[in-house]
């Protein structure tokens, strides 16, 4: 119960403190543009990396100990009261400790919704992972791989490709089970995971790049967080935003989208309907479909399109619950 723990740490710490006082050919250029556009389909926000604080308690006088004890008791009461009165607290599911991989490396574009889907799984199950940001122009970071798309996940030396396949394989590893015979709940989960890949992701790009100002907003984040040189940042921000504005119009036609915002709102409402009064599709805890929807929406949540989506649909409460239960990123330094 991470939120309660954080609140307890904050209150207890204050109590203790009180007690103690490049040129290329045309063909290559086109190839680079294609890869860049693939990488830049979405803007993204990620959680902060884990931070840990250690409290060192020096020797206290007898009176200080008494004050600290009384204060600590009061802090615990305050935590219980605040939690029960004003906050929803969700317990995370635990992976089997002996099954958690020892070395996980994610090759990604920070702006990729499918990469964010994998990260949502890793974050929720507290699986530590390192990130290698791939330059979408040169892709030199994955030249060693025959598979040239992201995400690529290396798990204890084994290469896993494609976001849904990665999550399936991780689920088998972490929970030591295979989904041979689907229960009705797992069948529902599979249905909605497919909906994410086959429908939800396709309405995102036309919304992110709906107009020039929203395209620039997205690329401002992409170039600030992606693996670009200084020159690439300047070029990509403006040229990329302009290019994606026109690309998004073609995507609207391809997927028969007449009103991009209406399509986004409809998708959000469809997901809200699927919950059927439940906190999560998985019931009291998120399942893989919850994590998939949350993962692909994280890139747009704090862009204009994501803010509009939350304001005009019923998805906001579910999304907030997911933010709380997924918690901070499990990313560690590479």
């Amino acid at each position: 119960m991470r939120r309660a723990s954080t609140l307890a740490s904050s209150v207890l710490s204050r109590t203790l403190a009180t007690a103690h006082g490049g040129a290329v050919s045309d063909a290559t250029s086109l190839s680079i543009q294609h890869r860049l556009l693939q990488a830049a389909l979405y803007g993204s926000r990620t959680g902060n990396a884990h931070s840990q604080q250690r409290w060192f308690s020096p020797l206290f006088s007898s009176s200080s100990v008494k004050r600290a004890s009384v204060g600590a008791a009061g802090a615990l009461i305050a935590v219980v009261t605040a939690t029960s009165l004003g906050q929803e607290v969700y317990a995370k599911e635990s992976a089997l400790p002996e099954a958690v991989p020892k070395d996980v490396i994610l090759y990604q574009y920070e702006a990729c919704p499918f990469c964010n889907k994998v990260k949502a799984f890793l974050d929720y199950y507290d699986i530590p992972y390192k990130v290698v940001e791939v330059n979408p122009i040169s892709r030199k970071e994955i030249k060693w791989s025959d598979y040239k798309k992201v995400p690529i996940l290396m798990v204890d030396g084994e290469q896993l490709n494609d976001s849904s396949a990665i999550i399936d394989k991780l689920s088998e590893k972490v929970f030591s089970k295979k989904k041979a015979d689907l229960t009705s709940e797992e069948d529902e989960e599979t249905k909605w995971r497919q909906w994410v890949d086959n429908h939800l992701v396709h309405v995102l790009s036309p919304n992110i790049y709906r107009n020039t100002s929203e395209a620039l907003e997205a690329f401002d984040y992409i170039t600030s967080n992606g693996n670009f040189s200084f020159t690439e940042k300047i070029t990509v921000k403006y040229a990329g935003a302009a290019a994606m504005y026109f690309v998004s119009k073609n995507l609207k036609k391809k997927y028969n989208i007449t009103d991009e915002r209406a399509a986004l709102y409809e998708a959000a409402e469809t997901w809200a309907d699927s919950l059927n009064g439940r906190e999560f599709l998985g019931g009291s805890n998120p399942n893989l479909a919850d994590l998939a929807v949350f993962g692909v929406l994280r890139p747009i949540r704090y862009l204009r399109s994501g803010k509009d989506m939350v304001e005009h649909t019923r998805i906001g409460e579910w999304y907030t619950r997911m933010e709380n239960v997924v918690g901070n990123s499990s990313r560690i330094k590479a």
Side-chain angles (χ1 to χ4, degrees):
M1 299 167 77
R2 185 171 298 181
R3 296 174 68 195
S5 298
T6 302
L7 180 58
S9 297
S10 176
V11 177
L12 287 171
S13 65
R14 289 197 297 269
T15 301
L16 291 174
T18 300
H20 191 51
V24 294
S25 67
D26 290 343
T28 303
S29 177
L30 288 173
S31 176
I32 288 173
Q33 289 177 38
H34 176 69
R35 293 199 299 268
L36 180 58
L37 294 181
Q38 283 184 315
L41 284 177
Y42 306 90
S44 144
R45 289 180 75 96
T46 56
N48 295 325
H50 274 308
S51 61
Q52 296 179 333
Q53 292 180 310
R54 182 174 297 168
W55 298 98
F56 296 92
S57 299
L59 293 176
F60 290 97
S61 66
S62 176
S63 60
S64 295
V65 170
K66 289 180 180 178
R67 290 198 300 272
S69 299
V70 172
L76 291 176
I77 293 172
V79 167
V80 172
T81 302
T83 300
S84 61
L85 291 179
Q87 298 180 354
E88 292 178 292
V89 179
Y90 299 96
K92 298 180 74 166
E93 296 177 89
S94 298
L96 298 172
E98 66 275 13
V100 174
K102 295 178 175 60
D103 186 35
V104 179
I105 304 172
L106 176 65
Y107 292 83
Q108 67 153 27
Y109 299 142
E110 184 68 23
C112 168
F114 298 104
C115 299
N116 276 277
K117 184 167 63 166
V118 173
K119 287 191 287 189
F121 179 95
L122 296 170
D123 294 340
Y124 178 65
Y125 289 110
D126 287 328
I127 299 173
Y129 61 96
K130 302 169 187 173
V131 166
V132 175
E133 188 69 21
V134 176
N135 185 303
I137 298 176
S138 67
R139 293 191 298 178
K140 60 183 179 180
E141 293 81 5
I142 55 173
K143 285 196 179 295
W144 53 269
S145 173
D146 292 332
Y147 184 80
K148 298 302 181 183
K149 299 178 182 179
V150 294
I152 295 174
L153 195 71
M154 295 299 297
V155 181
D156 292 335
E158 179 184 1
Q159 181 176 343
L160 305 179
N161 307 321
D162 184 85
S163 61
S164 292
I166 288 170
I167 290 169
D168 286 339
K169 190 67 175 179
L170 280 177
S171 296
E172 292 177 14
K173 285 177 175 290
V174 172
F175 299 107
S176 300
K177 72 171 185 177
K178 294 185 178 182
K179 296 185 177 182
D181 300 314
L182 294 178
T183 65
S184 60
E185 290 82 5
E186 289 171 328
D187 189 47
E188 181 185 38
E189 175 186 83
T190 299
K191 166 192 168 184
W192 286 103
R193 288 179 67 195
Q194 292 172 346
W195 174 80
V196 171
D197 292 342
N198 297 329
H199 178 71
L200 180 59
V201 293
H202 298 315
V203 305
L204 300 185
S205 182
N207 276 279
I208 295 169
Y209 307 109
R210 183 175 63 148
N211 52 48
T212 53
S213 63
E214 289 186 57
L216 283 170
E217 176 194 33
F219 268 88
D220 185 56
Y221 183 81
I222 290 169
T223 54
S224 297
N225 292 275
N227 188 7
F228 298 98
S229 69
F230 177 77
T231 302
E232 289 169 346
K233 284 182 180 180
I234 301 301
T235 303
V236 167
K237 178 176 179 179
Y238 294 98
M244 284 309 301
Y245 170 77
F246 291 105
V247 168
S248 69
K249 303 309 174 187
N250 291 330
L251 291 174
K252 283 181 63 176
K253 292 180 181 178
K254 180 177 179 180
Y255 295 109
N256 299 314
I257 298 172
T258 55
D259 184 324
E260 55 276 279
R261 278 297 195 268
L264 179 63
Y265 297 164
E266 182 181 4
E269 289 291 351
T270 297
W271 176 249
D273 286 339
S274 76
L275 300 177
N276 196 24
R278 294 169 289 185
E279 292 182 321
F280 307 103
L281 190 75
S284 58
N285 293 302
N287 63 15
L288 296 184
D290 287 290
L291 292 171
V293 176
F294 176 71
V296 301
L297 289 182
R298 270 207 291 196
I300 76 162
R301 172 60 185 91
Y302 295 99
L303 297 177
R304 180 69 265 162
S305 53
K307 292 175 182 177
D308 286 350
M309 175 187 69
V310 169
E311 181 180 349
H312 292 94
T313 73
R314 295 169 294 143
I315 203 171
E317 290 185 3
W318 168 85
Y319 191 93
T320 298
R321 288 195 293 271
M322 286 298 299
E323 279 189 315
N324 291 338
V325 74
V326 171
N328 292 330
S329 173
S330 296
R331 177 174 175 172
I332 58 178
K333 274 193 172 184

